Amino acid sequence: MPQTRSERGTRPKRKTTAAVATPAPEKEREKADRSERDRGASLSDRAYQQIKEMILTLFFLPGQYLNEAAICDLLKLGRTPVHQALQLLQVEGLVEVVPRKGVIVRPDSINEVVEILDARILVEVELVRRAVANSTREDIKELTAILEKTNRRHGGGSLDAFVESDRAFHVKLSAMSGNAILADFVRLMHERSTRFWYLHLWQTVDVYAAGREHRTILEAMETRDPERAARAMRKHIENLRERLQHILHHGPGRGGVRPAAPPAAQGRARRAVT
């Protein structure tokens, strides 16, 4: 005899697996944590860029002691991003932590900068060959714009104009090489030597000659001639090296005497942040 519905009983409901949703408060905390980390990284990068520029342009002078609290007040930033920025600048060789004294702007010697230029010759001559091979029309336009922009803003004859153009030009060429590691190495070496334009070379530097050297490199890029570009790059850096060697043997700064900074740098310089 067939079973009645009540006798058969109720068929058990199929179990379904529901996704466990993250509670809203936990999601908000995760979002807030990410935002805080991003903000912290952004502030550290801002501190790093600002302090580095102050060192390179002699706002902070070689041999000057720095106080983190004073820099925080100057930049309107907290202690953490400033401390992280100084740690990175120590790795790059621009500052040094002296036990029981604090942070000091590292005073490179002319001999050290000559060694930096030797390294740049070895690396940048090869990088510019690769840059020719990888160059596009847009790259050439950007290189041209770097030189033309500097001439328009400064008339092409000031030290600031040269430093701005030289840094931007070499960074762009290095990036065009396609080798990010070597390009980063060149950037660091270039920044290490930038201060010496302000400290030692401002009285004798021929910014017009340097501009012509940049133009010669650019012309080789336009004609896609890697060997001509390599020769032009070598000559450009060797000319700088010769000026440094002349100062080392004949000019001011021998015997540990530091020459006066140029008028532009004197205007930027401030009393010791200690």
Side-chain angles (χ1 to χ4, degrees):
M1 184 174 180
Q3 291 180 319
T4 64
R5 185 172 184 177
S6 58
E7 290 172 334
R8 289 195 302 266
T10 304
R11 178 180 296 176
K13 293 182 179 180
R14 180 179 297 174
K15 293 182 180 181
T16 59
T17 303
V20 178
T22 303
E26 185 175 340
K27 283 186 175 181
E28 290 300 320
R29 283 196 300 271
E30 292 176 357
K31 184 177 179 180
D33 289 342
R34 285 195 301 270
S35 176
E36 186 65 26
R37 287 194 299 269
D38 292 343
R39 181 172 177 272
S42 176
L43 290 176
S44 296
D45 184 65
R46 175 184 156 193
Y48 164 76
Q49 295 294 344
Q50 288 183 312
I51 297 171
K52 173 184 276 189
E53 191 65 19
M54 289 176 174
I55 291 172
L56 296 180
T57 59
L58 304 186
F59 186 98
F60 296 140
L61 296 173
Q64 179 176 339
Y65 281 95
L66 306 179
N67 179 277
E68 287 190 19
I71 294 177
C72 292
D73 291 340
L74 182 65
L75 302 183
K76 309 300 182 187
L77 292 171
R79 291 292 290 266
T80 298
V82 168
H83 181 73
Q84 292 173 342
L86 290 172
Q87 286 183 318
L88 183 53
L89 290 169
Q90 181 183 19
V91 172
E92 293 185 1
L94 288 175
V95 302
E96 184 178 354
V97 177
V98 181
R100 297 183 297 277
K101 289 187 177 181
V103 179
I104 186 173
V105 179
R106 193 170 183 273
D108 291 331
S109 70
I110 293 182
N111 277 326
E112 287 175 310
V113 178
V114 169
E115 291 177 356
I116 287 172
L117 292 175
D118 287 340
R120 283 183 55 191
I121 289 173
L122 291 174
V123 176
E124 289 192 68
V125 168
E126 178 57 32
L127 285 187
V128 79
R129 287 194 182 99
R130 299 187 182 194
V132 171
N134 296 334
S135 64
T136 64
R137 286 186 177 182
E138 290 304 314
D139 289 326
I140 301 301
K141 287 181 180 178
E142 188 172 340
L143 287 171
T144 303
I146 288 171
L147 301 184
E148 291 180 349
K149 175 185 175 182
T150 306
N151 286 336
R152 285 197 305 270
R153 288 181 59 188
H154 301 284
S158 73
L159 180 61
D160 283 334
F162 168 77
V163 171
E164 176 183 347
S165 174
D166 197 54
R167 289 173 65 183
F169 192 76
H170 284 268
V171 166
K172 175 59 180 176
L173 280 174
S174 298
M176 289 167 58
S177 72
N179 189 314
I181 294 176
L182 288 180
D184 193 52
F185 170 80
V186 168
R187 177 185 61 81
L188 293 175
M189 294 299 97
H190 197 272
E191 290 172 348
R192 283 279 298 275
S193 58
T194 292
R195 290 183 298 169
F196 271 72
W197 284 105
Y198 288 105
L199 279 173
H200 297 282
L201 298 177
W202 67 277
Q203 300 176 73
T204 59
V205 63
D206 187 342
V207 294
Y208 292 105
R212 289 193 297 270
E213 291 164 5
H214 284 160
R215 184 63 60 179
T216 300
I217 296 171
L218 178 59
E219 289 170 357
M221 301 289 297
E222 291 171 335
T223 58
R224 303 190 72 82
D225 187 337
E227 292 310 313
R228 183 186 174 197
R231 289 193 301 270
M233 177 63 76
R234 177 180 292 276
K235 180 175 177 58
H236 176 54
I237 302 176
E238 283 181 345
N239 284 345
L240 171 56
R241 190 183 186 283
E242 288 176 7
R243 294 189 187 101
L244 278 172
Q245 289 281 26
H246 179 80
I247 290 174
L248 182 63
H249 297 295
H250 307 288
R254 289 180 298 168
V257 178
R258 187 175 66 194
Q266 290 172 353
R268 283 190 291 268
R270 299 292 184 272
R271 63 182 177 82
V273 181
T274 56

